[in-house]
């Protein structure tokens, strides 16, 4: 089975960096595309980044291109989100998700982590 657990969240000043990890306790991680989504207070959940099963293709929201990098290590059953040059607008709860395709819609993902809070201060 798939059980996703995020880690690495916290508070940082604008311009700083954080690295999120999402680990799967099961052994079927390699069978899924992975995505990162975020939800800020009062806003709907939005797409951040996604990566296909092999890790050879990545996708990013325009708002994070050039600043965030998604990667995965299938041997460790873990997906990462490196976040650089963080802005206050990046403040949100970040969720990792597993699905069949690295789509931009949350509806396409089957399994979700519980989320981790990212707070970026000015």
């Amino acid at each position: 089975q798939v059980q996703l657990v995020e880690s690495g969240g916290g508070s940082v000043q604008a311009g700083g960096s954080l690295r999120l990890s999402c680990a799967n306790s099961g052994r079927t991680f390699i069978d899924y595309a992975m995505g990162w989504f975020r939800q800020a207070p009062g806003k709907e959940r939005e797409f951040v980044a996604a990566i296909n099963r092999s890790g050879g293709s990545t996708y990013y929201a325009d708002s994070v291109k050039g600043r965030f990098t998604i990667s995965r290590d299938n041997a460790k059953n873990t997906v990462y989100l490196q976040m650089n040059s963080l802005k206050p607008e990046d403040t949100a709860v970040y969720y990792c998700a597993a699905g069949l395709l690295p789509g931009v819609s949350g509806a396409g993902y089957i399994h979700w982590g519980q989320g981790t809070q990212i707070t970026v201060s000015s």
Side-chain angles (χ1 to χ4, degrees):
Q1 59 181 352
V2 176
Q3 184 175 6
L4 306 177
V5 180
E6 300 98 336
S7 62
S11 298
V12 65
Q13 291 186 335
S17 299
L18 288 172
R19 189 192 193 196
L20 301 182
S21 298
C22 177
N24 174 35
S25 63
R27 293 186 179 275
T28 60
F29 181 81
I30 194 172
D31 294 331
Y32 293 93
M34 298 296 297
W36 285 97
F37 292 78
R38 66 187 183 186
Q39 187 167 23
K43 298 182 179 179
E44 295 185 350
R45 184 174 296 178
E46 65 177 356
F47 170 77
V48 176
I51 189 167
N52 70 348
R53 297 179 182 183
S54 68
S57 298
T58 57
Y59 311 87
Y60 299 94
D62 289 342
S63 60
V64 305
K65 286 181 179 178
R67 299 190 298 121
F68 290 11
T69 302
I70 187 172
S71 62
R72 68 190 296 163
D73 187 338
N74 289 336
K76 296 182 178 180
N77 287 346
T78 302
V79 64
Y80 306 94
L81 185 67
Q82 178 67 46
M83 303 183 292
N84 298 327
S85 301
L86 284 163
K87 304 175 180 179
E89 306 94 276
D90 296 318
T91 295
V93 176
Y94 284 68
Y95 301 87
C96 68
L100 299 180
L101 295 171
V104 300
S105 173
Y109 293 83
I110 303 171
H111 305 285
W112 292 81
Q114 64 182 3
T116 185
Q117 177 71 48
I118 299 297
T119 301
V120 184
S121 302
S122 300

